[in-house]
Structure formats: C-alpha cells, structure tokens
Amino acid sequence: AQKITQTQPGMFVQEKEAVTLDCTYDTSDQSYGLFWYKQPSSGEMIFLIYQGSYDEQNATEGRYSLNFQKARKSANLVISASQLGDSAMYFCAMREPFSGNTPLVFGKGTRLSVIA
Amino acid sequence: ETGVTQTPRHLVMGMTNKKSLKCEQHLGHNAMYWYKQSAKKPLELMFVYSLEERVENNSVPSRFSPECPNSSHLFLHLHTLQPEDSALYLCASSQGPAFTDTQYFGPGTRLTVL
C-alpha cells in the first residue's frame, strides 16, 4: 500500500493567489515526521517545511504553511501569494521511526504551474 | 561552498563504462543518502550511511556500489549499467538518522546510459 498519496498530478494557480496541495499518509506509528519538498526543473530537491506528529501547532515557514489533520492523516501544503517562481514539482514525504536508519518515503508529487 | 554539492551534474556513459558520482556536504551532518529518481516514479532510496556505517538496501543491483570515506563525502561507483538505470541521482544529508532530522539534497546528477 502507498504510504504517501498525492492525488493531484497537476495544479494551476493564478499569481498572487493561494493554493493547497494535498497529501495523505498511511502509518500505524504514533511518532513520525512529515516533510514537503520543492523540485524545480533544475532537479534540486529543496526542503520547504516540516511537521512532527506531536506538534500541536501547524507548521509555518514564510509563505508556506501545513494544514495538519492528524485524525484524517492529511498534511496539506498551503502556499500563499503564489509567485511565478513557485512553479515546480512538490513532494510530500514521511519518515517513521525504524531502528535508527529511517528512509524518507516520497509521494509521486504534484506539478504546480503558476500563471501570470 | 555551502549545502550539498554533487559532481558531475550530467553524465553520459556506455554500458561497459565505469564511472563514479561524488557528493559532498558542508553542513556537518552525520548521515548521507543516495536516491534514484526515474521518470514518473517516486524517489527511491538506494543507500544510507550513518556515521560512515552503511545500511544495506537489498533491492539495489550490485552494479551500484557506494563508498563513504568520511562523514562529508559519499560516492556512488557505477559499472556495467543498463539503459534503465538512466535517471536523476540525488544525494542528501541529515544531522542524524532520526526520523525528525530533515534531509537536505544536492542538485543531482542526471545520468544517461547508452
């Protein structure tokens, strides 16, 4: 079964508007970490934001915020005031505790296109 | 240099060649990783090194051979590759191997096997 599901292969958003990228995850652990990365066409995977499973507050980092709903196992990324430079692939990822060396499991990604 | 660097950025090789990918991290981290990103597939973890100790990933073919001489450097030695090995190879590092440790990635090496 997929651990990370990103149901939106592609999204369009108007410049300066907000956009939400969906991510649901599957785990039986109580402790885990959730990450969002941005990958522009150059290929580099850029870390955006982190949410720990025990964090009571939704994570925020500049224009990025995470809408964390633990009971629903969802961790949607919200980008406010979209910019043309936000056009990229966005990946949701999860790490679970696993004997000290824990692989980061990625979803298939969402391609975001920001339109002027 | 800062962050995680990878060389070369692009590599074209024949199936009989031997080449190596290099990764260097300038973040003082203790864990390093190799990932493979093929078209239309999620990123796949290949190898993990923590404090220069390797964690085996049994699903990786033996034509890929990692080497971690110290905590700042990671290599991926390639030999007798197949065309289906063409992909973007990403290196990452993190402070430690804990699940709360953020992984920071390099720019990747885009490999084409002819």
Side-chain angles (χ1 to χ4, degrees):
Chain A
Q2 273 189 330
K3 288 257 182 189
I4 297 287
T5 302
Q6 293 181 254
T7 57
Q8 307 150 313
M11 290 280 287
F12 289 89
V13 65
Q14 200 76 35
E15 195 178 7
K16 300 180 186 176
E17 298 292 313
V19 63
T20 298
L21 307 183
D22 295 342
C23 172
T24 57
Y25 57 91
D26 180 27
T27 181
S28 55
D29 285 321
Q30 295 301 308
S31 299
Y32 48 88
L34 296 160
F35 303 81
W36 276 92
Y37 287 86
K38 170 185 177 183
Q39 188 177 40
S41 56
S42 59
E44 183 174 2
M45 196 72 73
I46 302 166
F47 166 69
L48 296 177
I49 195 166
Y50 164 79
Q51 179 85 45
S53 58
Y54 288 116
D55 293 341
E56 294 185 354
Q57 304 269 352
N58 283 342
T60 61
E61 195 70 51
R63 294 187 297 112
Y64 305 107
S65 60
L66 213 151
N67 183 0
F68 180 45
Q69 299 188 45
K70 193 170 181 177
R72 293 186 178 183
K73 294 187 177 178
S74 76
N76 298 339
L77 177 71
V78 180
I79 305 175
S80 62
S82 297
Q83 301 172 357
L84 295 177
D86 293 334
S87 294
M89 284 291 290
Y90 287 82
F91 292 93
C92 179
M94 177 175 66
R95 288 184 89 174
E96 301 163 283
F98 179 79
S99 61
N101 289 297
T102 58
L104 187 61
V105 178
F106 284 81
K108 292 185 177 180
T110 295
R111 182 171 297 281
L112 177 67
S113 299
V114 180
I115 306 165
Chain B
E1 294 224 54
T2 58
V4 182
T5 58
Q6 289 186 244
T7 55
R9 293 294 309 275
H10 300 271
L11 179 62
V12 179
M13 60 187 288
M15 289 192 284
T16 57
N17 290 159
K18 287 185 181 181
K19 296 284 184 184
S20 296
L21 308 185
K22 179 184 176 182
C23 175
E24 185 173 0
Q25 59 95 1
H26 308 267
L27 301 169
H29 288 169
N30 294 311
M32 296 187 77
Y33 312 79
W34 279 116
Y35 286 88
K36 177 184 178 182
Q37 187 178 29
S38 306
K40 300 183 181 179
K41 275 188 175 182
L43 264 78
E44 302 170 76
L45 178 69
M46 299 177 74
F47 301 103
V48 180
Y49 276 84
S50 176
L51 293 172
E52 299 152 47
E53 182 181 325
R54 173 176 165 183
V55 175
E56 200 73 37
N57 183 326
N58 294 330
S59 64
V60 180
S62 60
R63 57 186 184 267
F64 295 93
S65 173
E67 178 191 0
C68 187
N70 55 62
S71 59
S72 299
H73 293 86
L74 185 65
F75 295 89
L76 187 63
H77 303 300
L78 317 171
H79 64 96
T80 58
L81 293 192
Q82 304 297 312
E84 60 263 29
D85 297 322
S86 298
L88 180 68
Y89 289 84
L90 289 161
C91 173
S93 71
S94 62
Q95 183 61 51
F99 71 96
T100 52
D101 289 329
T102 298
Q103 290 182 23
Y104 294 90
F105 286 78
T109 295
R110 195 164 292 280
L111 174 67
T112 303
V113 181
L114 302 175

